[in-house]
Amino acid sequence: QNDIFGPDKVPLYSGKMFNRSAVFLDRDGTVIESIHRPDFVKKITAPFHESELKFVPNAYLALSRLKEQGFLRILITNQPDVAHGHMEEKTWQKIHNRVKDTLCFDDIFMCRHLKEDNCPLKKPSPLMLQAAADKWGIDLINSYMIGDTDADMKAGKAAGCTTILIDRFYNQDVDCDWRVDDLMSGVKVVEIMDHLTSEPEANFN
């Protein structure tokens, strides 16, 4: 149940200034569909069975467009369901491997602890984003957090990122910088914001 700090990679810009931009993405409800379980102890969950795994529309295309724009694509996710006893480790590994192998994130950071474990990394803590920034030389102010929960938005805001919330029936009261209909719309916001911030100052006069 240890926290996972992504593949053992050497950052391409290791030792250089913090000048890279990233898009941090939640997993469940963001790049794959969450499962609505009205009669379960938790109403919105991750897929507990391989048959429940479904990628959101245009997930691969969205991640590919971010790569084309030069953004690091980093998964930031809480994954406590095995610790809760909701699913077996073997099943969780199969689901998660399909997600990472299909979408090819540049890195993955996750916390698999329960809330009562008081892990300092667990969202809404920004520490996983900050750890990614240290590893990859990321400028958090010029980076983005895309997710579907209050914990995602709070983690992103605390890290200094622009926050983009995917609109769901269960997150209507969540505070964010941008609210979008789907993942691809979130990517379009990133592209627009990146274009605006990269324009010469004279263009705004």
Side-chain angles (χ1 to χ4, degrees), residues 28 56-57 59 67 69 83 87 97 111 113 120-121 151 162 171 194:
D28 309 313
V56 302
K67 183 177 182 179
Q69 294 295 320
M87 60 191 304
N97 286 341
C111 171
H113 288 102
L121 301 169
T162 297
N171 64 18
D194 183 56

Side-chain angles (χ1 to χ4, degrees), residues 24 74 76 107 109 127-138:
F24 301 102
I74 300 179
I76 303 288
D107 213 339
F109 290 71
L127 287 181
M128 286 195 284
L129 288 80
Q130 292 167 342
D134 285 343
K135 179 177 179 180
W136 290 95
I138 295 168

Side-chain angles (χ1 to χ4, degrees), residues 181-193:
D181 290 335
D182 50 38
L183 178 59
M184 183 57 77
S185 298
V187 169
K188 291 177 181 178
V189 168
V190 171
E191 292 173 339
I192 292 170
M193 293 293 293

Side-chain angles (χ1 to χ4, degrees), residues 31 45 64 72 77 103 119 130 136 141 150 155 164 185 191 194:
V31 299
T45 78
S64 297
L72 289 165
T77 180
L103 298 181
C119 176
Q130 292 167 342
W136 290 95
I141 298 299
D150 187 51
I164 301 173
S185 298
E191 292 173 339
D194 183 56

Side-chain angles (χ1 to χ4, degrees), residues 96-114:
H96 193 67
N97 286 341
R98 279 187 60 193
V99 173
K100 70 178 185 179
D101 292 345
T102 299
L103 298 181
C104 303
F105 296 97
D106 294 295
D107 213 339
I108 297 172
F109 290 71
M110 73 175 75
C111 171
R112 301 189 64 190
H113 288 102
L114 301 173

